[in-house]
Amino acid sequence: MAAKRIVIDPVTRIEGHLRVEVEVKDGFVTEAFSSGTMVRGLEIILRGRDPRDAWAFAERTCGVCTTVHALASVRSVEDALGIVIPPDAELIRNLMFCAQYMQDHVVHFYHLHALDWVDVVSALKADPEKTSALAQSISDWPKSSVGYFSDVQKRIAKFVASGQLGIFANGYWGHPAMQLPAEANLLAVAHYIEALDWQKEIVKVHTIFGGKNPHPNYLVGGVPCSLDINQANAINAERLAYVGKLLADARSFVEQVYIPDLLAIASFYKNWASIGGGLKNYLCYGDLPTNGFGDPGKFKFPRGAILDRDLTRIHPVDAHDPQQVKEFISHSWYQYSDGDEAGRNPWDGETKFNYTGPQPPYNQLNVDGKYSWLKTPRWNNHAMEVGPLARMLVGYGSGRADIKEAVDMVLKKLDVPVAVLFSTLGRTAARGIETYLVAQWAQEFFSDLLTNIKNGDSRTFNGEKWDPATWPSSAKGIGMSEAPRGALAHWIVIENEKIANYQLVVPSTWNASPRDSQGQRSAYESSLLGTPVADPDKPLEIIRTIHSFDPCLACAVHLYDPQGRTLNRVTIGG
Ligand code: NFE
Ligand code: MG
């Protein structure tokens, strides 16, 4: 049989604009291409601005990972100027980070990814009594009565009967790759609805410490809030108690709803433990410092790289070595002043558009030339996967006891070996495992914060270098983080108190990028090879693997055209 090209554009239940093209032959994917079809422009907007203001612009890269670019930005300036933030500021940043993870990962699992595995229409056939028994067999979560599931089922029935599935429209219902029993489908749909409600609570941690969500406030040198348990206008005893309650409730939801659902659903999809592995290399900058960002040995998420899936060897990562991270553009709609073949370290990065497509035959990407708005980052010339799976593998390989215990707990419950992690299922499981850890770590950070306050330390800001007159005439820095979707870093060059260059290299850029100049595929393209496709008109299996990365193309492209011109008109031919 001849290869058939499938175009998915736009991929939905993601953030931003992603096009995926695959060749399918004899029921399997034989070739894959990933393209970011939108262009924005934060690098250009940031040039010439005060570095202390950069976070407020950079944070608008994305409303999904709504804090991470602000964090990377303030860290880049702190790194350039040698600013060390007070311990309480570090703890508050960590608490905001943890709140972000819990919200982002739960929303991804239920609202962006679950419907690839859960058949909403099948839930109508479920027996509420059996659903209740199933719910009670996997968790102590109180909302598990027969009446509760029967009510949820009636709500779904109303949607379906009206012919307007609303938020559930256009799913691949009844697809042969849907493998859950009706009762598991009903349980998951009930929790889809509960999670919608829950996620708006946990982000209140951001509103308390950062004034608002999305896009809470940040500050170079610390955090923009003051701690005083007795003051009405500060983070006082009442606000802190509220944070404590939010964190405890979040942990209950993660432990009693998210993790049991993940395990229950995964147990029916173990065949996905050998699909979608893709690249064999994983990269983490590490995050959640406990002794300042200068001491990565004490991060909760360790730093390091894995090559060729060898978990016995964690390679050191030093982003400050300009040879290690480079961005290539041979297949991206940009140009470099010294030619498009060699990579550039982001400190010397350039952002010049060079839109060349579409080319004949117009209905498919010009994959021999430029075909994406994403640049292609490489670590020591290796294509790397970043994200929850990379973090759990680097943690596991580093012998970190808490990470190992959590990973082993999940593997044991599913009765599968560690090698299953290298897959679509493993990627989705890793996201749940790290959420489980983060929910615990958040409570540790919170208790450390209370201890510091009790001991009389309420400093949240180091203003020693606030005045630009104290800065050197030129300085360079990197602000690293582990965003929910993976390794994130902002590279900043400061000249005469202003930003001379600013480059963001974000998780979805690593994972979703086009080939590099040597033709190496990045993570999405690589992971799709070999994927079975039962029905080319309903490419559910492709969506499963792409969604397992939790794509965010808004983050990945972070460029826009300042004149608002049409830069990309993609024609999809019939
Ligand atoms: Ni817009 Fe983001 C995250 C960043 S991109 S979601 O997490 O950075 O992958
Ligand atoms: Mg960039």
Side-chain angles (χ1 to χ4, degrees), residues 448-464:
D448 290 349
L449 179 65
L450 295 186
T451 305
N452 285 357
I453 297 170
K454 264 186 214 136
N455 291 341
D457 185 356
S458 58
R459 292 168 304 149
T460 53
F461 174 59
N462 169 3
E464 279 165 33

Side-chain angles (χ1 to χ4, degrees), residues 15 62 64-65 68-69 104 483-486 488 506-508 552 554-556:
E15 166 62 30
C62 185
V64 174
C65 55
V68 299
H69 293 285
D104 203 336
R485 285 154 199 77
L488 164 69
V506 318
S508 293
C552 179
C555 276

Side-chain angles (χ1 to χ4, degrees), residues 43 327 375 503-505 556-558:
E43 277 100 345
E327 286 197 296
K375 294 178 178 175
Q503 294 286 329
L504 306 84
V505 183
V557 183
H558 51 262

